[in-house]
Amino acid sequence: RFGGDNATPGNTWTCRPCWRWRLHTLALHLIVVAHLQMAAVGTDLAGQPSASWPAGTAAESNASWPSGHQPWKMEAWALTPTGKPATCWKTQVLHDSDGGWPGQCLGLFVVDTIKDQPLCTKSCWEDSRCAVWQFLNTSNPKEACWVGFGTDCDLRGRKAMTAQIVRSQRLMHGDVHVIKDLMGIQVKNLFKIGLFEEGTQQLSIQRCKDWCYSDIACEYWQYSSSEGCFVDAPHLSTKQGETPQAVVQYPLTTSGITPGVTDILAGEYLQHYCPEHPKSSSSASTA
């Protein structure tokens, strides 16, 4: 059961879009299978590429990195034996409806087995794939808990809410390692979230960055003064697999970017990772 981009509470259905979450999980699993070096404990964070990255060919781009290859998607994130992204001990709140964030996102799906707010919160905090949770005051308790990645969280694209939001949060699982600032170029095939409908430009840039920080599979984000927010979200840019070619090129070469773009105000290429637990560090130092 999936809420879809046009869904409102009380208007859920069983259909192909309900596979969005499963497709995202499947895509991550296929990435893992394709790159056996992605060990269950994660790998070291990427070093800085040379100034020639992105280069003219795939071989040249890979050679720009100290490791001999551009980092694979989620290379630094640990996995379970079944290929699922592991839960990280560290989770932080990026935006909270209790702190003034509108939090009325589209693109979430309903978890009809969860009927109370603490469990809804827990389900997202304990799943590293979950970026947003939303709990509603609705007459149907099976349509109270919504989770997913979330878009249009400011004004819902002018689509009315039919139930009151009790609480909503955007989370960040683990930490982020920023590899390179992306200015002066535009990375092709990012998903266009667009301009936010309210708030200052600086707040819009922060929300764009936080969208990427909250999705452990997002490696690129950019903000354009004319077109708004762009993020690395294959599950959205490919329209749930309908246009599989609409993904960021790997390894990134000059054919995967548009150079000389002057209205990109901010952007990053990054890795998500789960840092070592402080208790593990202290135990090792006293052993």
Side-chain angles (χ1 to χ4, degrees):
R1 290 164 64 80
F2 182 82
D5 288 344
N6 298 313
T8 54
N11 181 24
T12 57
W13 60 91
T14 301
C15 65
R16 183 168 49 79
C18 70
W19 289 93
R20 174 179 292 181
W21 188 260
R22 297 176 190 173
L23 280 173
H24 180 56
T25 306
L26 176 60
L28 298 183
H29 177 70
L30 292 177
I31 290 165
V32 172
V33 172
H35 302 298
L36 298 180
Q37 292 91 334
M38 184 186 271
V41 294
T43 62
D44 292 336
L45 298 175
Q48 293 294 314
S50 69
S52 63
W53 182 85
T57 68
E60 291 169 341
S61 274
N62 277 330
S64 303
W65 294 85
S67 62
H69 70 272
Q70 180 179 334
W72 301 304
K73 185 174 282 291
M74 292 186 63
E75 182 172 325
W77 195 273
L79 303 166
T80 67
T82 60
K84 174 185 173 183
T87 298
C88 184
W89 66 270
K90 182 178 183 180
T91 300
Q92 58 185 299
V93 177
L94 297 178
H95 297 285
D96 195 325
S97 60
D98 275 7
W101 182 54
Q104 45 190 5
C105 307
L106 296 173
L108 302 178
F109 75 92
V110 66
V111 185
D112 57 11
T113 57
I114 296 179
K115 303 175 184 178
D116 64 79
Q117 183 184 329
L119 282 179
C120 188
T121 306
K122 185 173 184 287
S123 70
C124 195
W125 275 71
E126 295 184 354
D127 190 330
S128 60
R129 299 164 298 175
C130 183
V132 171
W133 69 269
Q134 183 185 88
F135 194 80
L136 304 179
N137 182 7
T138 174
S139 58
N140 185 351
K142 290 186 176 182
E143 295 179 358
C145 179
W146 298 72
V147 298
F149 303 101
T151 61
D152 300 283
C153 298
D154 48 358
L155 297 179
R156 274 182 73 84
R158 305 291 176 176
K159 296 179 176 67
M161 287 287 295
T162 61
Q164 180 185 8
I165 294 177
V166 177
R167 187 80 178 273
S168 181
Q169 292 180 330
R170 181 175 291 281
L171 306 177
M172 174 179 164
H173 299 273
D175 279 332
V176 163
H177 169 54
V178 177
I179 301 172
K180 187 176 178 67
D181 288 333
L182 297 176
M183 305 288 286
I185 65 169
Q186 186 158 22
V187 179
K188 296 179 181 178
N189 288 330
L190 295 178
F191 176 71
K192 182 179 179 180
I193 291 178
L195 293 164
F196 294 95
E197 295 190 66
E198 58 90 30
T200 64
Q201 187 177 77
Q202 194 59 41
L203 178 59
S204 294
I205 292 173
Q206 185 66 45
R207 285 178 174 170
C208 186
K209 178 170 75 171
D210 287 347
W211 196 103
C212 191
Y213 280 25
S214 68
D215 179 355
I216 61 170
C218 180
E219 296 182 333
Y220 300 88
W221 70 271
Q222 293 188 291
Y223 191 86
S224 160
S225 59
S226 60
E227 297 187 80
C229 179
F230 292 83
V231 293
D232 174 28
H235 49 294
L236 298 176
S237 61
T238 63
K239 300 178 181 178
Q240 294 84 57
E242 291 180 7
T243 55
Q245 72 281 3
V247 295
V248 176
Q249 184 187 46
Y250 178 87
L252 190 65
T253 71
T254 52
S255 65
I257 64 171
T258 301
V261 180
T262 59
D263 68 347
I264 298 295
L265 302 181
E268 294 172 333
Y269 174 47
L270 56 91
Q271 284 182 302
H272 293 262
Y273 71 101
C274 184
E276 185 179 5
H277 197 288
K279 290 183 179 179
S280 300
S281 301
S282 59
S283 299
S285 62
T286 57

